Amino acid sequence: MIKKEICKIISQKEIAQDIFQLNVEADFVNEINAPGQFVHIRVAKALDPLLRRPISISSVDKRNSQFTMIYRKEGKGTTLLAEKGPGMLLDILGPLGNGFPVNEVKAGETALLVGGGIGVPPLYELSKQLTAKGVKVIHVLGFQTESAVFYEKEFLEYGDTYITTVDGSYGKKGYVTDVIKELDFDCLYTCGPTPMLKAIEKQYSHKKVFLSLEERMGCGVGACFACVCKTSNELDDVSYKKVCSDGPVFRAGEVLI
Amino acid sequence: MSRLNIQLPGLNLKNPIMPASGCFGFGREYSQFYDLSKLGAIMIKATTVEPRFGNPTPRVAETSSGMLNAIGLQNPGLEKVVSNELPWLSQYDVPIIANVAGSLEEDYIEVAAEISKASNVHALELNISCPNVKTGGIAFGTIPEVARQLTRRVKEVSEVPVYVKLSPNVTNIVEMAKAVEDGGADGLTMINTLVGMRLDLKTGKPILANRTGGLSGPAIKPVALRMIYEVSQAVNIPIIGMGGIESAEEVIEFFYAGASAVAVGTANFVDPFVCPTIIEELPSLLDTLGYEHISECRGRSWQEHGQLAYHRA
């Protein structure tokens, strides 16, 4: 069930250039049911910026009623968010959307987790949960450049981790798609920029693949029809899914990206 | 709640607060937050004869104290609205105002005739002001004679009172209002969004795939108030006011300008509980301001002892 809650910030720190890790306390943590769900944050009780910011959940600590988000400081809203510190309060709506299905892989099987840039964070909780059920996980994480790389050590705790950078300043030079060609897996989970998702979907049309999409949102709960995408049904051109409430995670081929 | 009830053509409102069309879907999403029977009414998403997918994305862009949208009247079409959405809404004790849209006059007539038969549809909102579709919509809302004619034709087939939603994207809103009143409109809803644009800093291109979109939110409130102030003095039909409302204080301001009820749009996205919160806060605000009933606020900006017959239940 979705809650609107005033949550207390436990900690916030910059973990890479313009990448912030924000930890908050919330009663609705118990409602989080899958990795890859997100929350909708009102960064200021003001008219400007007006709308909430959708930010994915990167890890969940149910015992302490806390969860963590990792986001990039980019526009007006995330800049305001980045200024907040421990003890301050945040108006958060969540948990929202449908996350990655962890039951699609069995113990002993291999899952490949592929993240690009700010699409990396939700894969962390996914990796934790898959590992806990005995799935072997491999991570391939792509970034622009060395200063943008984060969480390599954290992912390494759960499995092999390959890092790529576009400019070659860290890890392997190139894109995640260059690395995953050489890897074998039973199920692939991915989150990142749309061109990356498209390339992966095309490359693995015969495999079990789950994609997390990003789209500009209004309400975050399915009412405003801002974040709509077409389904792959070629017989009609009016069938749709909403990224916020039907997604953000879809099975590859379910929607047109 | 007897201090908030309002009688309007076709509508016996327990309070004058309703979510605006396009900002509340068909109510399902917000029903997980609160009991929809608390609302004065619900203006459901625009319905067209055939299902519509709407515009490509991005469909929204934030602006200072507002947002642009170009959804493009996405809806499941008349048949599904009548067979699925309206029956689902009938579990709630709340009158529905059905927003009717189309490309041709015949489309409006077909939707109006059919949807007005539903038992929980107590009024229609004729959408002649959507700025985001290429044909129809706003084309009917910017030429007085065309709007008058369409209103008349829809009135002939509708089984419930017809409110016409006015576009602010006109030179003379009073002329438009008078034209639809002359065409037989039972009321007005105003204002729809203002056409606007935002550009991407990196690409130099419009952010919205549709290039332009409708501006809503607190940024347009002064425009809405001015237009309601002008129109309410020029016509003899009630106005449901909208445009940037997000608090009880602003509801009163819209009543002062001349509105008889109000709709809340964009604010639902910011706070899903905004409508019930406003409803809860209104009585104490009336106390603070010294009013017994909310209808006493209506038209105070221009009336000495403003109160019209249709206000009291």
Side-chain angles (χ1 to χ4, degrees), chain A residues 47 50-53 225, chain B residues 29 57 59 62 74 246 270:
Chain A
L47 297 182
L50 183 68
L51 300 174
R52 289 172 182 269
R53 268 42 184 180
F225 290 79
Chain B
E29 292 79 14
T57 58
R59 293 175 168 187
E62 195 175 42
Q74 179 160 19
E246 55 157 38
V270 181

Side-chain angles (χ1 to χ4, degrees), chain B residues 133-147:
Chain B
V133 293
K134 283 193 181 65
T135 53
I138 203 161
F140 291 94
T142 47
I143 305 165
E145 187 43 47
V146 175

Side-chain angles (χ1 to χ4, degrees), chain A residues 114-145:
Chain A
V114 185
I118 206 58
V120 167
L123 301 178
Y124 183 60
E125 177 66 27
L126 175 64
S127 187
K128 257 204 293 189
Q129 293 193 16
L130 290 173
T131 306
K133 59 177 276 189
V135 174
K136 182 177 179 247
V137 291
I138 304 172
H139 317 102
V140 181
L141 313 174
F143 301 91
Q144 279 298 320
T145 186

Side-chain angles (χ1 to χ4, degrees), chain B residues 254-271:
Chain B
F254 272 70
F255 269 73
Y256 286 164
S260 299
V262 299
V264 179
T266 306
N268 289 290
F269 305 157
V270 181
D271 177 7

Side-chain angles (χ1 to χ4, degrees), chain A residues 1-4 40 42 46-53 74 76-77 91 93 96 215-231 237-242 245, chain B residues 22-26 29-30 32-33 45 51-53 57-67 71 74-76 198 200 202 207 216-218 246 250 266 268-273:
Chain A
M1 187 171 168
I2 303 169
K3 300 272 170 62
K4 190 184 90 138
H40 219 21
R42 191 173 183 189
L47 297 182
D48 191 20
L50 183 68
L51 300 174
R52 289 172 182 269
R53 268 42 184 180
E74 203 164 2
K76 203 189 279 179
D91 177 345
L93 192 63
L96 301 175
E215 187 56 79
R216 276 173 187 263
M217 289 179 188
C219 66
V221 299
C224 76
F225 290 79
C227 62
V228 163
C229 52
K230 285 195 168 154
T231 62
D237 62 354
V238 292
S239 293
Y240 65 89
K241 296 274 181 186
K242 300 170 193 165
S245 56
Chain B
C23 299
F24 208 72
F26 295 92
E29 292 79 14
Y30 288 95
Q32 62 192 320
F33 295 108
K45 194 155 170 51
R52 278 180 62 93
F53 177 77
T57 58
R59 293 175 168 187
V60 293
E62 195 175 42
T63 64
S64 297
S65 304
M67 71 180 281
I71 307 298
Q74 179 160 19
N75 78 92
R198 270 208 66 197
D200 184 284
K202 286 178 190 148
I207 291 176
S216 65
E246 55 157 38
E250 287 160 330
T266 306
N268 289 290
F269 305 157
V270 181
D271 177 7
F273 295 95

Side-chain angles (χ1 to χ4, degrees), chain B residues 98 100 108 124-129 150-151 154 162-165:
Chain B
V100 173
Y108 283 94
L124 300 186
E125 180 180 46
L126 201 54
N127 187 350
I128 56 166
S129 44
L150 182 68
T151 306
V154 168
V162 175
Y163 291 68
V164 179
K165 189 166 191 173

